[in-house]
Amino acid sequence: MNLVQLKRVIAIYESGSLRKASKAVGITQPALTLSIRHLEEEFNTSLFERGPNGVRPTEMCEKLVQRARLMLMEEQRIISDLVEANRVPKLVVGVHPIFMNDMMSRSMRQFVDQSGQVDMWVREGYTTQLLDLLSAGELDFAFCGLPEGYASETLDFEPLFKREYAVVATPEHPVFSMTQAEITRGTDFVWAHVRAYEKVDPLDNDDVANNLRQFGYSRENKSVKASSAAFVKAMILHSGMIGMVACEAVAEELASGTLRRLAGSEIPAPAFGFITLKDRYETRTVRQLKATIRQWCARKQD
């Protein structure tokens, strides 16, 4: 098996036709058919099912194409790196909004100071968005969270730490003057919480929703959803709302008393860390940035 054969498999997969694929890769249809047959014999499997309306990929072909695209993407990356060898290196990292903070700004400054000239880009996004960008080859790596037990054949995950979430509100919020029975019987609280665009609302998770019912939350409550964690924090601080946020994101407010957490509302968060495409070559610049972020994460945990 070689990259040329993989490119031919992808051409057939995407066009659904041997005739169209042969034109796309610049060889005759018999030569393309023979090339695929050799590959099928090498692995003792069938990659396509032939029919009157073209060809359809088998389950094995689906798996092969998924991995082949990553390999070809990496080939293009290596070629690009070689072309750019004598130019300023470009580094693109995806970062979850919750880490667009003081720690991240300081780690980026330290990295830039120590790395010399580098074209540094930071793309903000939630985990689902960053994974899409990563799979498309638009990021060197992502710094975000994954659910416990998440597994992927194409991604490597290096967990660095976990975070805790809790329901918070200002001290004047009526929740702090109500009895537990009054709260659980139902309230008119207006909730603010993060929703990553059209992705699934984290509070729609049954385990989380069931836990939050004891604090007056239900799916029938009025609520404001925002993709910005900073805006959700602002709504809780300044608009009399109540919501679940990362405790670290409101650490200063909790310490000063401008926000209070509801006892017992704490929920362990997913692990956060680096997500990278499996077997992807990492440049020295990427390794250096990761090392710098690790240092700042370690300081944060001390």
Side-chain angles (χ1 to χ4, degrees):
M1 182 182 70
N2 54 51
L3 292 179
V4 172
Q5 288 175 307
L6 294 179
K7 291 176 182 177
R8 292 172 180 174
V9 170
I10 291 175
I12 299 173
Y13 178 88
E14 292 179 344
S15 66
S17 163
L18 288 168
R19 178 180 59 81
K20 292 179 181 178
S22 65
K23 291 183 178 180
V25 298
I27 62 174
T28 64
Q29 184 172 329
L32 177 61
T33 301
L34 182 61
S35 176
I36 299 303
R37 184 174 299 141
H38 286 164
L39 192 58
E40 291 177 326
E41 291 175 353
E42 180 180 349
F43 291 102
N44 191 30
T45 190
S46 176
L47 296 176
F48 295 99
E49 296 176 353
R50 282 75 171 176
N53 297 320
V55 294
R56 293 191 299 110
T58 63
E59 183 178 352
M60 183 60 68
C61 181
E62 294 279 0
K63 293 181 179 180
L64 177 62
V65 168
Q66 183 182 36
R67 296 295 297 175
R69 282 174 169 164
L70 292 175
M71 293 172 65
L72 295 176
M73 188 187 305
E74 190 63 16
E75 178 197 29
Q76 292 300 315
R77 174 72 183 209
I78 293 172
I79 293 173
S80 177
D81 286 345
L82 292 174
V83 171
E84 297 288 331
N86 295 321
R87 302 179 186 176
V88 175
K90 181 177 181 179
L91 195 160
V92 187
V93 56
V95 179
H96 193 283
I98 204 168
F99 301 120
M100 302 294 277
N101 54 23
D102 177 71
M103 183 206 78
M104 184 58 64
S105 66
R106 292 177 183 272
S107 62
M108 292 296 176
R109 174 57 190 265
Q110 178 181 330
F111 163 73
V112 171
D113 287 344
Q114 295 176 349
S115 64
Q117 195 172 14
V118 59
D119 187 9
M120 179 74 197
W121 291 72
V122 178
R123 298 283 300 274
E124 181 180 1
Y126 289 89
T127 297
T128 49
Q129 298 166 314
L130 297 181
L131 294 185
D132 289 343
L133 291 173
L134 193 62
S135 299
E138 296 183 30
L139 301 177
D140 288 285
F141 68 93
F143 183 43
C144 54
L146 285 177
E148 187 173 352
Y150 181 91
S152 171
E153 295 181 356
T154 59
L155 300 174
D156 280 326
F157 181 49
E158 178 190 340
L160 296 177
F161 57 87
K162 289 189 175 183
R163 305 189 73 174
E164 184 179 72
Y165 284 70
V167 177
V168 302
T170 59
E172 299 79 21
H173 196 281
V175 69
F176 294 111
S177 61
M178 298 172 68
T179 66
Q180 186 62 54
E182 289 174 331
I183 295 173
T184 54
R185 277 200 301 267
T187 69
D188 293 324
F189 296 162
V190 179
W191 286 72
H193 53 261
V194 173
R195 179 163 183 170
Y197 304 98
E198 70 278 2
K199 303 300 182 182
V200 175
D201 188 328
L203 295 187
D204 283 340
N205 177 291
D206 287 338
D207 292 336
V208 175
N210 289 334
N211 182 57
L212 292 184
R213 284 197 183 96
Q214 61 181 309
F215 306 105
Y217 172 80
S218 75
R219 292 187 176 93
E220 287 71 42
N221 277 96
K222 294 179 180 180
S223 65
V224 178
K225 304 175 180 67
S227 61
S228 166
F231 184 62
V232 168
K233 172 182 170 180
M235 287 192 289
I236 296 171
L237 267 172
H238 307 300
S239 302
M241 298 185 187
I242 185 171
M244 174 170 283
V245 296
C247 295
E248 184 176 329
V250 292
E252 292 184 8
E253 289 77 13
L254 291 173
S256 67
T258 53
L259 285 179
R260 288 177 58 187
R261 74 166 80 188
L262 275 69
S265 67
E266 296 81 4
I267 294 177
F272 287 90
F274 301 135
I275 305 177
T276 314
L277 290 176
K278 282 185 182 294
D279 305 320
R280 178 169 187 165
Y281 170 73
E282 287 192 345
T283 64
R284 181 185 62 83
T285 307
V286 170
R287 295 194 299 271
Q288 185 177 352
L289 175 57
K290 282 187 173 183
T292 304
I293 296 176
R294 287 190 197 100
Q295 292 173 8
W296 281 93
C297 289
R299 294 180 192 178
K300 204 74 172 173
Q301 301 304 306
D302 292 339

